Amino acid sequence: SSGINAEWPLRPGVKVRVRPDQLGVVTDGVKHSMNPFDENAVEEAVRMKQKKIVKEIIAVSCGPTQSQETIRTALAMGADRGIHVEVPKGTEADLQPLAVAKIFAKLIEKEQPDVVILGKQAIDDDANQTTQLLAGLVDWPQGTMASALEHSDGQLKITREIDGGLEDIKVKLPAIISADLRLNEPRYATLPNIMKAKKKKIEKLSPGDLGVDIAPRLTVKKVVDPPVRQAGDKVPDVATLLDKLKKKKVPTATLR
Amino acid sequence: SSGINAEWPLRPGEHDGANVNPATLNTVTAATKLGGSVHAIVAGDSCVEAGNNTAKIPGIEKVFVAESPALKGQIAESVVQVLLDIQSKNNYTHILANGTVFGKNILPRMGAKLDVAPISDIIGVESDSTFVRTIYAGNAIQTVESSDPVKLITVRGTAFEASPADGGSAATENVSSDINNDKSEYIEAKLSKSDRPELASANIVISGGRGLKNGENFEMLYELADKMGAAVGASRAAVDAGYVPSDLQVGQTGKMVAPDLYIAVGISGAIQHLAGMKDSKTIVAINKDAEAPIFQVSDIGLVDDLFKAVPEMIAGIEQQ
């Protein structure tokens, strides 16, 4: 079976506002949705089930009550059942990658999956850590930034997007994968499937039930706005543009 | 004291295991801000030359060279074993890696083994336990404090000056660790071949977006880049559409760049793209849509058809 992590950050494109107390970002009343990379992770799991590489898909979300919505979306896309590890509302910003990884490590013990797929990074904290942390905790091989997966004989060949291009590695199952954007094109949940998903089970657990201490290790001291970049002038043509660049003395051999 | 993991060379055609990723120079600067002595670790199946080149970076006192067939492709499961071995013998207070795919792949796995919360992609050092980083695609800046006994940090290269590459003379020490990894295997890399500057460290970057319409049209950007000694980047839209390979992607989930000059051609300027380039010194935007968000951050904006403007730029530069 395979497990996927579905996260619940602010919807992409939503304007981010720093809180007046400068300890975080305003999330109350702001639209949330499934982390885009997690959509790729769910989609890949569904495809693996269609190819009969896995028999069952469990969708997992760690967060406040509302993050169940992402599990419902995953169930509508094709996951079989869900696990919601709930934390009190308002504390979700304190749930850091190491804690999430530890929760997942316990779920791995409980559910014994063959593959765990997560999104490469959450678009709120941009950490890109959970997959690697989890793989280290359970000592499984990792395939991060995966843009293609090929299964054969208890192994996965993974194409990864790396700094200079692409890289192929092979891992023995069980393994932990992080999905990159180009892994697949996530499907839209159809209305009939959304209705069917309401009947699928979501188990609710707390970190305490799993024996995990989720106390944050990193203390946020301050959150502030970035420096604002003022718009400059528009130029009427290329000649003026080149002239301005020359005046800016951009270090280049050809603009003299 | 701190240890840093130095990277495998990025470009094919140069000697494998010879040159160190330029981002390492920025990470060295970050490491030296912490005070104390700085050591480096180079790992791979053939990396003695990389070790020697790392030893030339001023500020580094010692370079561990871990060479073994098991470290081919610097596969994470094996590299982490070596790092743990070295850490157990040296007890570094800080372990840093470049904020590249390489560093991000390896450091958190090590964090799990040490039970430490890694800190990703720092842009500032406030003290030996307090660091600055961005969240929400750079829409907010966060200062975090770690109370872990070892700080595991990946460093955003564009936020720190590059240290010189020469002038140092660190001692090198060969290490041979017991590596047991039957779970993963490196097959091969398919790297983009280019004589152009490294995207993440180039002085000038010319990026193309969906406005280019296809991969062939990127040829004129390559031509302009060659005239200017620039690197070529792309928006996610251009990569998703298959115009260019993924390693050209600039943005929240791609590369962070901060060149002296960033020219955005046919790029609308979505927040996720801005996250990857808004620290550039001078931003030029060329787009036929006067309302494109990119013009809100550009220093010089040209509302024009790129298929007319780019050839004009090439001709204009040629005339000099």
Side-chain angles (χ1 to χ4, degrees), chain B residues 25 34 44 49 57 90 114 135 153 157 160 171 206 210 271 290 301 311 317:
Chain B
L25 300 176
L34 295 164
E49 208 181 327
I57 303 173
N90 292 274
L114 297 175
I135 55 176
I153 300 163
F160 297 87
I206 303 173
R210 210 200 302 259
I271 289 179
I317 291 173

Side-chain angles (χ1 to χ4, degrees), chain A residues 137-169:
Chain A
L137 286 175
V138 298
D139 203 32
W140 286 7
Q142 62 191 54
T144 64
M145 328 320 173
S147 67
L149 293 181
E150 215 179 277
H151 175 260
S152 67
D153 268 342
Q155 290 193 38
L156 281 178
K157 178 173 141 191
I158 303 166
T159 301
R160 303 179 56 231
E161 290 194 357
I162 60 170
D163 302 301
L166 298 174
E167 168 185 281
D168 283 346
I169 63 172

Side-chain angles (χ1 to χ4, degrees), chain A:
Chain A
S1 66
S2 71
I4 354 153
N5 185 26
E7 288 205 31
W8 187 66
L10 299 188
R11 190 167 286 179
V14 158
K15 179 148 176 52
V16 168
R17 283 184 304 126
V18 171
R19 272 167 32 187
D21 64 4
Q22 291 201 335
L23 288 175
V25 155
V26 176
T27 56
D28 266 352
V30 183
K31 288 227 176 280
H32 291 65
S33 64
M34 190 187 292
N35 188 44
F37 294 94
D38 297 338
E39 289 178 356
N40 295 104
V42 175
E43 175 63 29
E44 198 60 22
V46 173
R47 292 185 190 196
M48 288 178 107
K49 186 175 170 191
Q50 285 171 340
K51 291 181 204 162
K52 301 204 198 300
I53 298 169
V54 298
K55 297 208 189 92
E56 185 192 31
I57 303 172
I58 308 166
V60 178
S61 188
C62 306
T65 316
Q66 294 89 325
S67 66
Q68 267 194 78
E69 284 165 30
T70 61
I71 302 180
R72 290 278 168 221
T73 304
L75 294 172
M77 285 170 72
D80 298 291
R81 59 183 168 95
I83 299 177
H84 177 210
V85 181
E86 185 163 12
V87 298
K89 183 166 159 58
T91 69
E92 56 268 27
D94 289 338
L95 192 58
Q96 295 174 351
L98 184 57
V100 174
K102 289 184 175 180
I103 290 171
F104 264 81
K106 287 293 180 179
L107 291 176
I108 284 177
E109 264 175 57
K110 179 171 154 9
E111 302 288 347
Q112 304 281 304
D114 302 288
V115 184
V116 179
I117 315 180
L118 301 92
K120 142 178 138 174
Q121 77 193 60
I123 61 171
D124 46 16
D125 79 357
D126 282 332
N128 189 338
Q129 294 176 10
T130 311
T131 299
Q132 299 86 305
L133 285 165
L134 176 58
L137 286 175
V138 298
D139 203 32
W140 286 7
Q142 62 191 54
T144 64
M145 328 320 173
S147 67
L149 293 181
E150 215 179 277
H151 175 260
S152 67
D153 268 342
Q155 290 193 38
L156 281 178
K157 178 173 141 191
I158 303 166
T159 301
R160 303 179 56 231
E161 290 194 357
I162 60 170
D163 302 301
L166 298 174
E167 168 185 281
D168 283 346
I169 63 172
K170 210 162 48 171
V171 299
K172 283 193 190 148
L173 295 181
I176 322 270
I177 312 289
S178 78
D180 216 321
L181 294 170
R182 286 169 279 273
L183 181 57
N184 53 48
E185 184 83 45
R187 67 196 61 200
Y188 289 107
T190 64
L191 195 50
N193 284 333
I194 294 173
M195 299 311 290
K196 270 192 241 167
K198 295 193 183 195
K199 301 211 180 96
K200 296 182 180 176
K201 261 181 59 184
I202 299 181
E203 186 184 353
K204 211 193 281 207
L205 295 169
S206 73
D209 292 332
L210 297 168
V212 177
D213 174 12
I214 58 164
R217 293 295 189 82
L218 301 177
T219 310
V220 176
K221 306 299 276 184
K222 201 170 52 172
V223 174
V224 299
D225 287 310
V228 177
R229 191 151 186 142
Q230 298 294 351
D233 298 319
K234 293 218 175 78
V235 294
D237 51 35
V238 167
T240 317
L241 166 61
L242 290 177
D243 199 48
K244 282 205 166 209
L245 286 179
K246 246 193 291 182
K247 292 197 174 109
K248 275 193 181 278
K249 295 195 172 69
V250 178
T252 160
T254 46
L255 278 186
R256 277 173 243 118

Side-chain angles (χ1 to χ4, degrees), chain B residues 182-203:
Chain B
D182 60 351
K183 295 178 180 163
S184 67
E185 196 185 310
Y186 177 80
I187 301 175
E188 65 171 350
K190 297 169 215 161
L191 301 177
S192 306
K193 295 191 199 301
S194 172
D195 291 325
R196 281 178 208 102
E198 207 54 69
L199 180 52
S201 54
N203 271 339

